[in-house]
Amino acid sequence: MSVEEDTANHGRLLGTVRGPQDVKRMSGEELDVLAAEIRDFLIAKVSRTGGHVGPNLGVVELTLAMHRVFDSPRDRLLFDTGHQAYVHKILTGRQAGFDKLRQRGGLSGYPSQAESEHDLIENSHASTALSYADGLAKAYALRGEARSVVAVVGDGALTGGMCWEALNNIATAGNSLVIVVNDNGRSYSPTIGGLADHLSSLRLNPGYEKVLDTVKDALGSTPLVGKPMYEVLHAVKKGIKDAVAPQAMFEDLGIKYVGPVDGHDVAAVESALRAAKNFGGPVIVHAVTRKGYGYRPAEEDEADCLHGPGSAFDVETGALLAAPSVKWTHVFADELLAIADERPDVVGITAAMAEPTGIAKLARKYPERVYDVGIAEQHAATSAAGLALGGLHPVVAVYATFLNRAFDQVLLDVAMHKLPVTFVLDRAGITGPDGPSHYGIWDMSVFGVVPGLRIAAPRDAATLREELREALATDDGPTVVRFPTGAVAADLPALRRVGPVDVLAESARTDVLLVAVGSFGQLGMEVAARVAEQGYGVTVVDPRWVRPVPAELVELAASHRLVVSVEDGVRVGGVGDALGQALRDADVRVPLKDLGVPADWHPHGTRAQILADLGLTAQDVARDVTGWISRLDATPDRLTPTNTPAQN
Ligand SMILES: Cc1ncc(C[n+]2csc(CCOP(=O)(O)OP(=O)(O)O)c2C)c(N)n1
Ligand SMILES: CC(=O)[C@@H](O)[C@H](O)COP(=O)(O)O
Ligand SMILES: [Mg+2]
């Protein structure tokens, strides 16, 4: 079936859309038909691949209106977080790519400059679009380029601090800039905080616009006496705003507010966008939408409106087709609740992701002991410091990649004060479908340098439970417990424990010490078996607590001919790097080879595919280890340095 035939199957009009110009000339009726066809297309395609179906069903009309009012790519359309850019991709010639959405070599789940000149922001971290927009608008103003800048930001993303830093600057700069607040009242779950309340007060005050229309109608029958009448009307409008509709907050900031407008009414959104486009300064267009709009399983999904099913799902019910497995997240959630039952000082913090991180389980039993701070990881870290200063032991549960933005808070607000805060990093390492800005590969390097902070990398459910308890028993500084996405690894018992280090396998020969970090424990066992077939003996160890590097690793290394480390994190500054430094410091002159993820922007795909591409499979590592140890046999007197040249 050709792309055209396939697309046309989802609707005659959609098959005619090759670019934004094709929707500019459509009538209102055609747009309504096209919107329905786009919804049909999204549900059909994303139900096969998985992806952010809920958010994108909520922005169909919004995106149509944006592409009709503005001229992308001359005008720049920015999407905060970018998970809601599928409709934008459909309208900019990429319908054919949806069969391989979020798959290796296929369409990214986020904007991608490599895919299209219409795309700009590739980072999937929330709350950045307004800062990009501020900078872009300043650049166009300075270069004298008459180009519109439009940023779509969700109500969830708007709870991120960067948005308010940007709004402060946008107001001052006064450049022409359109901020479309896509207000569906939810992040995953209902959006929290004062801002959310403010937005809902605006949503619930459409009366403001109706009162204004009434006044306009009334005055309209009176012959206008020029400017004074306009002044009267404007004063009435101002009075109404201050009295009836509290959006004065934005206007007091110096940013014009337009709305609330029905985000599913293309004509209404177009009208608001045209007004904003021609205003000549920064304007907020407050669009009220519904996440999952037009698709009952999403609209009725109380958890997260089918925010982002990770794989194929049943179109009728929205239920994932893949059999559920016991995930690392579930093990964490259960053990945290068990600990919380025993320890009233343990509290939880989530950054708008209670369900995906497992904190929701604690919240259901102890709602008063869980804080959802919104998409605000920096605040989460320092608020946790406050909780710890108040005598509690907070558990901050976030995806590994999102803690990157709170480095300073972890370093100085938590660690410098030696506070008992535990950061639980889910989705650590290579995740897969969400691509490079979601890869949790930086934490063991970035947070490994924090004085007094200890990082645990459990290898299975048993060690996750154990190391979480050890973390919560640590009261003289911060701790981190990090584990990957997906199904939890099968329990891998230790033969013995040397300090914090678990010995998983050993042999009469001590040719190789293989340091298998975290979930790579099973990989280590498979490598040992393969290398043993070549006649070499491998001791496989799991450090459990990986930063700072346990001294016992250095002692173990001294009795082997070669040390190899393998980790699901960047090599530079990682566990292997740190171990090399420890060996040098102890003058233990045993060659070290450290394997890990090159510090780079790795493409999206499945976790297994990306790890294989990086040579992080049992077969590849076994081949490498055999090569190294046999080369040592050939040149016994040549001591190679304790680390390979950094390859990044
Ligand atoms: C810094 C950061 N933290 C957490 C996330 C995970 N995340 C992805 S989308 C989302 C919810 C976004 O809500 P909103 O901005 O309202 O967009 P909507 O999905 O409602 O369209 C979250 C928390 C993220 N992408 N970035
Ligand atoms: C956009 C975003 O940050 C999240 O929605 C992410 O896509 C979820 O990833 P998981 O599927 O691993 O929960
Ligand atoms: Mg939202």
Side-chain angles (χ1 to χ4, degrees), residues 397-444:
V398 294
Y399 286 10
T401 185
F402 300 138
L403 194 64
N404 294 349
R405 60 175 39 178
F407 174 74
D408 192 64
Q409 288 77 13
V410 173
L411 178 71
L412 298 181
D413 297 333
V414 180
M416 189 173 77
H417 295 80
K418 299 181 174 55
L419 293 171
V421 175
T422 296
F423 296 91
V424 174
L425 305 186
D426 198 335
R427 274 59 166 192
I430 295 289
T431 49
D434 283 299
S437 53
H438 257 71
Y439 287 162
I441 56 178
W442 312 96
D443 57 293
M444 293 189 290

Short mmCIF file of all heavy atoms in Angstrom, two decimals, residues 397-444:
data_model
loop_
_atom_site.label_atom_id
_atom_site.label_comp_id
_atom_site.label_asym_id
_atom_site.label_seq_id
_atom_site.Cartn_x
_atom_site.Cartn_y
_atom_site.Cartn_z
N ALA A 397 11.68 10.93 43.87
CA ALA A 397 11.64 9.93 42.80
C ALA A 397 11.42 10.63 41.47
O ALA A 397 10.40 11.26 41.24
CB ALA A 397 10.52 8.94 43.04
N VAL A 398 12.46 10.57 40.63
CA VAL A 398 12.41 11.20 39.30
C VAL A 398 13.07 10.26 38.30
O VAL A 398 13.78 9.33 38.68
CB VAL A 398 13.13 12.56 39.27
CG1 VAL A 398 12.45 13.59 40.15
CG2 VAL A 398 14.60 12.41 39.68
N TYR A 399 12.86 10.53 37.01
CA TYR A 399 13.63 9.82 36.00
C TYR A 399 15.05 10.37 36.05
O TYR A 399 15.25 11.58 36.21
CB TYR A 399 13.04 10.04 34.61
CG TYR A 399 11.75 9.28 34.33
CD1 TYR A 399 11.06 8.63 35.33
CD2 TYR A 399 11.22 9.23 33.05
CE1 TYR A 399 9.87 7.96 35.08
CE2 TYR A 399 10.04 8.55 32.77
CZ TYR A 399 9.38 7.91 33.79
OH TYR A 399 8.21 7.25 33.51
N ALA A 400 16.03 9.50 35.83
CA ALA A 400 17.42 9.91 35.96
C ALA A 400 17.74 11.16 35.15
O ALA A 400 18.38 12.10 35.64
CB ALA A 400 18.33 8.76 35.55
N THR A 401 17.27 11.19 33.93
CA THR A 401 17.63 12.32 33.05
C THR A 401 17.14 13.65 33.58
O THR A 401 17.76 14.69 33.37
CB THR A 401 17.08 12.11 31.63
OG1 THR A 401 17.54 13.16 30.77
CG2 THR A 401 15.58 12.07 31.60
N PHE A 402 16.06 13.64 34.33
CA PHE A 402 15.47 14.91 34.76
C PHE A 402 16.18 15.49 35.98
O PHE A 402 16.02 16.66 36.28
CB PHE A 402 13.97 14.74 35.04
CG PHE A 402 13.19 14.28 33.85
CD1 PHE A 402 12.21 13.32 33.97
CD2 PHE A 402 13.46 14.79 32.59
CE1 PHE A 402 11.48 12.89 32.86
CE2 PHE A 402 12.76 14.37 31.47
CZ PHE A 402 11.77 13.41 31.61
N LEU A 403 16.99 14.65 36.68
CA LEU A 403 17.71 15.20 37.82
C LEU A 403 18.89 16.03 37.36
O LEU A 403 19.44 16.84 38.10
CB LEU A 403 18.17 14.10 38.78
CG LEU A 403 18.63 14.61 40.16
CD1 LEU A 403 17.48 15.25 40.94
CD2 LEU A 403 19.28 13.48 40.98
N ASN A 404 19.28 15.85 36.07
CA ASN A 404 20.40 16.65 35.55
C ASN A 404 20.24 18.13 35.90
O ASN A 404 21.18 18.80 36.27
CB ASN A 404 20.50 16.52 34.03
CG ASN A 404 20.87 15.14 33.55
OD1 ASN A 404 21.27 14.29 34.35
ND2 ASN A 404 20.73 14.91 32.25
N ARG A 405 19.02 18.62 35.74
CA ARG A 405 18.80 20.07 35.88
C ARG A 405 18.84 20.53 37.34
O ARG A 405 18.82 21.73 37.61
CB ARG A 405 17.50 20.52 35.23
CG ARG A 405 16.26 19.92 35.76
CD ARG A 405 15.01 20.53 35.11
NE ARG A 405 15.15 20.80 33.69
CZ ARG A 405 14.15 21.31 32.94
NH1 ARG A 405 13.02 21.60 33.50
NH2 ARG A 405 14.30 21.53 31.66
N ALA A 406 18.98 19.58 38.26
CA ALA A 406 19.02 19.98 39.68
C ALA A 406 20.39 19.72 40.27
O ALA A 406 20.54 19.57 41.49
CB ALA A 406 17.95 19.21 40.44
N PHE A 407 21.42 19.70 39.45
CA PHE A 407 22.76 19.39 39.94
C PHE A 407 23.17 20.36 41.05
O PHE A 407 23.62 19.96 42.12
CB PHE A 407 23.79 19.42 38.82
CG PHE A 407 25.21 19.24 39.32
CD1 PHE A 407 25.65 18.00 39.73
CD2 PHE A 407 26.06 20.33 39.43
CE1 PHE A 407 26.94 17.82 40.23
CE2 PHE A 407 27.35 20.17 39.94
CZ PHE A 407 27.80 18.91 40.34
N ASP A 408 22.99 21.65 40.84
CA ASP A 408 23.45 22.64 41.81
C ASP A 408 22.71 22.48 43.13
O ASP A 408 23.29 22.60 44.21
CB ASP A 408 23.22 24.05 41.25
CG ASP A 408 23.93 25.10 42.09
OD1 ASP A 408 25.17 25.08 42.13
OD2 ASP A 408 23.23 25.91 42.74
N GLN A 409 21.43 22.17 43.02
CA GLN A 409 20.63 22.00 44.23
C GLN A 409 21.11 20.76 45.01
O GLN A 409 21.24 20.79 46.24
CB GLN A 409 19.15 21.85 43.87
CG GLN A 409 18.49 23.14 43.40
CD GLN A 409 18.85 23.50 41.96
OE1 GLN A 409 19.41 22.68 41.22
NE2 GLN A 409 18.59 24.73 41.57
N VAL A 410 21.39 19.67 44.26
CA VAL A 410 21.87 18.45 44.95
C VAL A 410 23.23 18.72 45.57
O VAL A 410 23.51 18.35 46.71
CB VAL A 410 21.95 17.28 43.95
CG1 VAL A 410 22.61 16.05 44.57
CG2 VAL A 410 20.55 16.91 43.45
N LEU A 411 24.10 19.41 44.82
CA LEU A 411 25.47 19.65 45.28
C LEU A 411 25.49 20.55 46.52
O LEU A 411 26.03 20.18 47.58
CB LEU A 411 26.28 20.31 44.16
CG LEU A 411 27.72 20.68 44.48
CD1 LEU A 411 28.58 19.43 44.58
CD2 LEU A 411 28.28 21.63 43.40
N LEU A 412 24.85 21.71 46.41
CA LEU A 412 25.04 22.72 47.47
C LEU A 412 23.90 22.79 48.48
O LEU A 412 24.12 23.02 49.66
CB LEU A 412 25.25 24.09 46.81
CG LEU A 412 26.48 24.20 45.91
CD1 LEU A 412 26.60 25.60 45.34
CD2 LEU A 412 27.75 23.81 46.65
N ASP A 413 22.68 22.57 48.01
CA ASP A 413 21.56 22.67 48.97
C ASP A 413 21.42 21.38 49.77
O ASP A 413 21.02 21.41 50.93
CB ASP A 413 20.24 22.95 48.22
CG ASP A 413 20.30 24.29 47.50
OD1 ASP A 413 21.05 25.18 47.95
OD2 ASP A 413 19.61 24.45 46.48
N VAL A 414 21.78 20.24 49.17
CA VAL A 414 21.61 18.97 49.89
C VAL A 414 22.96 18.47 50.42
O VAL A 414 23.17 18.39 51.62
CB VAL A 414 20.97 17.91 48.97
CG1 VAL A 414 20.82 16.60 49.73
CG2 VAL A 414 19.61 18.39 48.45
N ALA A 415 23.90 18.20 49.49
CA ALA A 415 25.13 17.51 49.91
C ALA A 415 26.02 18.37 50.80
O ALA A 415 26.57 17.90 51.79
CB ALA A 415 25.92 17.06 48.68
N MET A 416 26.16 19.65 50.46
CA MET A 416 27.05 20.49 51.27
C MET A 416 26.55 20.58 52.71
O MET A 416 27.32 20.72 53.65
CB MET A 416 27.16 21.90 50.68
CG MET A 416 28.22 22.77 51.34
SD MET A 416 28.46 24.33 50.48
CE MET A 416 27.03 25.25 51.05
N HIS A 417 25.23 20.43 52.86
CA HIS A 417 24.66 20.45 54.21
C HIS A 417 24.56 19.04 54.81
O HIS A 417 23.94 18.84 55.84
CB HIS A 417 23.28 21.11 54.18
CG HIS A 417 23.33 22.57 53.80
ND1 HIS A 417 23.44 22.98 52.48
CD2 HIS A 417 23.33 23.70 54.54
CE1 HIS A 417 23.50 24.31 52.44
NE2 HIS A 417 23.43 24.76 53.66
N LYS A 418 25.09 18.06 54.05
CA LYS A 418 25.11 16.68 54.54
C LYS A 418 23.73 16.19 54.96
O LYS A 418 23.56 15.60 56.05
CB LYS A 418 26.12 16.53 55.70
CG LYS A 418 27.56 16.87 55.32
CD LYS A 418 28.50 16.68 56.51
CE LYS A 418 29.96 16.87 56.09
NZ LYS A 418 30.20 18.21 55.41
N LEU A 419 22.74 16.42 54.10
CA LEU A 419 21.36 16.14 54.48
C LEU A 419 20.92 14.76 54.00
O LEU A 419 21.29 14.33 52.91
CB LEU A 419 20.44 17.22 53.90
CG LEU A 419 20.64 18.61 54.52
CD1 LEU A 419 19.86 19.66 53.76
CD2 LEU A 419 20.27 18.60 56.00
N PRO A 420 20.11 14.09 54.81
CA PRO A 420 19.64 12.74 54.46
C PRO A 420 18.49 12.79 53.45
O PRO A 420 17.32 12.70 53.82
CB PRO A 420 19.18 12.19 55.80
CG PRO A 420 18.72 13.38 56.56
CD PRO A 420 19.62 14.51 56.13
N VAL A 421 18.83 12.95 52.20
CA VAL A 421 17.84 12.92 51.12
C VAL A 421 18.20 11.77 50.19
O VAL A 421 19.37 11.60 49.85
CB VAL A 421 17.84 14.24 50.32
CG1 VAL A 421 16.89 14.15 49.13
CG2 VAL A 421 17.48 15.42 51.22
N THR A 422 17.22 10.98 49.81
CA THR A 422 17.46 9.87 48.89
C THR A 422 16.80 10.18 47.55
O THR A 422 15.60 10.45 47.50
CB THR A 422 16.91 8.56 49.46
OG1 THR A 422 17.62 8.24 50.66
CG2 THR A 422 17.07 7.41 48.46
N PHE A 423 17.62 10.18 46.50
CA PHE A 423 17.11 10.40 45.14
C PHE A 423 16.98 9.04 44.46
O PHE A 423 17.97 8.31 44.35
CB PHE A 423 18.05 11.31 44.35
CG PHE A 423 18.17 12.70 44.92
CD1 PHE A 423 19.16 13.01 45.86
CD2 PHE A 423 17.26 13.68 44.55
CE1 PHE A 423 19.25 14.28 46.40
CE2 PHE A 423 17.35 14.97 45.07
CZ PHE A 423 18.34 15.27 46.01
N VAL A 424 15.79 8.69 44.07
CA VAL A 424 15.58 7.41 43.38
C VAL A 424 15.41 7.71 41.90
O VAL A 424 14.49 8.43 41.50
CB VAL A 424 14.35 6.68 43.94
CG1 VAL A 424 14.04 5.44 43.11
CG2 VAL A 424 14.60 6.28 45.40
N LEU A 425 16.36 7.22 41.11
CA LEU A 425 16.41 7.56 39.68
C LEU A 425 15.93 6.37 38.85
O LEU A 425 16.66 5.39 38.66
CB LEU A 425 17.84 7.97 39.29
CG LEU A 425 18.45 9.09 40.10
CD1 LEU A 425 19.80 9.48 39.51
CD2 LEU A 425 17.51 10.29 40.19
N ASP A 426 14.70 6.47 38.40
CA ASP A 426 14.12 5.47 37.51
C ASP A 426 14.56 5.79 36.08
O ASP A 426 15.07 6.87 35.79
CB ASP A 426 12.59 5.54 37.63
CG ASP A 426 11.90 4.30 37.09
OD1 ASP A 426 12.50 3.62 36.23
OD2 ASP A 426 10.78 4.00 37.53
N ARG A 427 14.44 4.82 35.17
CA ARG A 427 14.85 5.04 33.78
C ARG A 427 16.31 5.48 33.69
O ARG A 427 16.69 6.24 32.80
CB ARG A 427 13.97 6.07 33.09
CG ARG A 427 12.68 5.59 32.46
CD ARG A 427 11.73 4.92 33.36
NE ARG A 427 10.39 4.78 32.79
CZ ARG A 427 9.34 4.42 33.51
NH1 ARG A 427 9.47 4.20 34.82
NH2 ARG A 427 8.16 4.30 32.94
N ALA A 428 17.15 4.96 34.58
CA ALA A 428 18.58 5.28 34.49
C ALA A 428 19.19 4.47 33.35
O ALA A 428 18.73 3.37 33.05
CB ALA A 428 19.28 4.96 35.81
N GLY A 429 20.19 5.05 32.68
CA GLY A 429 20.82 4.35 31.56
C GLY A 429 20.08 4.63 30.25
O GLY A 429 19.28 5.55 30.15
N ILE A 430 20.38 3.77 29.27
CA ILE A 430 19.74 3.91 27.97
C ILE A 430 18.27 3.49 28.12
O ILE A 430 17.99 2.40 28.63
CB ILE A 430 20.44 3.00 26.93
CG1 ILE A 430 21.87 3.48 26.69
CG2 ILE A 430 19.64 2.97 25.61
CD1 ILE A 430 22.01 4.77 25.93
N THR A 431 17.33 4.36 27.71
CA THR A 431 15.92 3.98 27.81
C THR A 431 15.42 3.48 26.46
O THR A 431 14.91 2.38 26.36
CB THR A 431 15.07 5.19 28.25
OG1 THR A 431 15.41 6.31 27.42
CG2 THR A 431 15.34 5.55 29.70
N GLY A 432 15.56 4.30 25.41
CA GLY A 432 15.21 3.78 24.08
C GLY A 432 14.33 4.70 23.27
O GLY A 432 14.83 5.59 22.57
N PRO A 433 12.99 4.54 23.35
CA PRO A 433 12.10 5.23 22.39
C PRO A 433 12.12 6.75 22.49
O PRO A 433 11.84 7.44 21.52
CB PRO A 433 10.71 4.69 22.76
CG PRO A 433 10.96 3.42 23.51
CD PRO A 433 12.26 3.62 24.21
N ASP A 434 12.45 7.29 23.67
CA ASP A 434 12.40 8.74 23.83
C ASP A 434 13.67 9.44 23.36
O ASP A 434 13.74 10.67 23.39
CB ASP A 434 12.13 9.11 25.29
CG ASP A 434 10.65 8.89 25.64
OD1 ASP A 434 9.80 9.55 25.01
OD2 ASP A 434 10.36 8.05 26.48
N GLY A 435 14.70 8.65 23.05
CA GLY A 435 15.88 9.26 22.44
C GLY A 435 16.80 9.99 23.40
O GLY A 435 16.62 9.94 24.61
N PRO A 436 17.78 10.70 22.84
CA PRO A 436 18.95 11.17 23.60
C PRO A 436 18.65 12.02 24.82
O PRO A 436 19.32 11.88 25.84
CB PRO A 436 19.76 11.95 22.55
CG PRO A 436 18.84 12.22 21.43
CD PRO A 436 17.85 11.10 21.42
N SER A 437 17.66 12.91 24.75
CA SER A 437 17.47 13.81 25.91
C SER A 437 16.76 13.08 27.05
O SER A 437 16.61 13.62 28.13
CB SER A 437 16.71 15.06 25.51
OG SER A 437 15.50 14.73 24.85
N HIS A 438 16.34 11.83 26.78
CA HIS A 438 15.74 11.05 27.86
C HIS A 438 16.70 10.02 28.42
O HIS A 438 16.40 9.33 29.38
CB HIS A 438 14.48 10.32 27.35
CG HIS A 438 13.22 10.98 27.80
ND1 HIS A 438 12.80 12.18 27.30
CD2 HIS A 438 12.31 10.61 28.71
CE1 HIS A 438 11.67 12.52 27.89
NE2 HIS A 438 11.35 11.60 28.75
N TYR A 439 17.89 9.87 27.80
CA TYR A 439 18.81 8.83 28.26
C TYR A 439 19.40 9.23 29.62
O TYR A 439 20.05 10.25 29.76
CB TYR A 439 19.91 8.60 27.21
CG TYR A 439 19.39 7.87 26.00
CD1 TYR A 439 20.08 7.86 24.80
CD2 TYR A 439 18.18 7.18 26.04
CE1 TYR A 439 19.59 7.19 23.69
CE2 TYR A 439 17.69 6.52 24.92
CZ TYR A 439 18.38 6.52 23.76
OH TYR A 439 17.90 5.86 22.66
N GLY A 440 19.16 8.34 30.61
CA GLY A 440 19.64 8.62 31.96
C GLY A 440 21.06 8.12 32.15
O GLY A 440 21.34 7.30 33.01
N ILE A 441 21.96 8.63 31.32
CA ILE A 441 23.31 8.06 31.28
C ILE A 441 24.33 8.93 32.01
O ILE A 441 25.50 8.61 32.06
CB ILE A 441 23.78 7.88 29.82
CG1 ILE A 441 23.71 9.20 29.04
CG2 ILE A 441 22.95 6.79 29.13
CD1 ILE A 441 24.21 9.10 27.59
N TRP A 442 23.89 10.04 32.59
CA TRP A 442 24.85 11.02 33.12
C TRP A 442 25.03 10.94 34.64
O TRP A 442 26.03 11.40 35.17
CB TRP A 442 24.38 12.42 32.75
CG TRP A 442 24.00 12.55 31.31
CD1 TRP A 442 22.75 12.44 30.75
CD2 TRP A 442 24.90 12.73 30.19
NE1 TRP A 442 22.80 12.56 29.38
CE2 TRP A 442 24.11 12.74 29.00
CE3 TRP A 442 26.28 12.88 30.08
CZ2 TRP A 442 24.65 12.90 27.73
CZ3 TRP A 442 26.83 13.05 28.82
CH2 TRP A 442 26.03 13.06 27.67
N ASP A 443 24.09 10.35 35.35
CA ASP A 443 24.04 10.48 36.81
C ASP A 443 25.26 9.96 37.53
O ASP A 443 25.78 10.60 38.45
CB ASP A 443 22.78 9.80 37.35
CG ASP A 443 22.71 8.33 36.97
OD1 ASP A 443 22.56 8.05 35.77
OD2 ASP A 443 22.84 7.47 37.85
N MET A 444 25.80 8.79 37.13
CA MET A 444 26.93 8.24 37.89
C MET A 444 28.19 9.07 37.68
O MET A 444 29.08 9.09 38.52
CB MET A 444 27.17 6.78 37.48
CG MET A 444 26.03 5.86 37.90
SD MET A 444 26.40 4.10 37.65
CE MET A 444 26.39 4.00 35.86
#
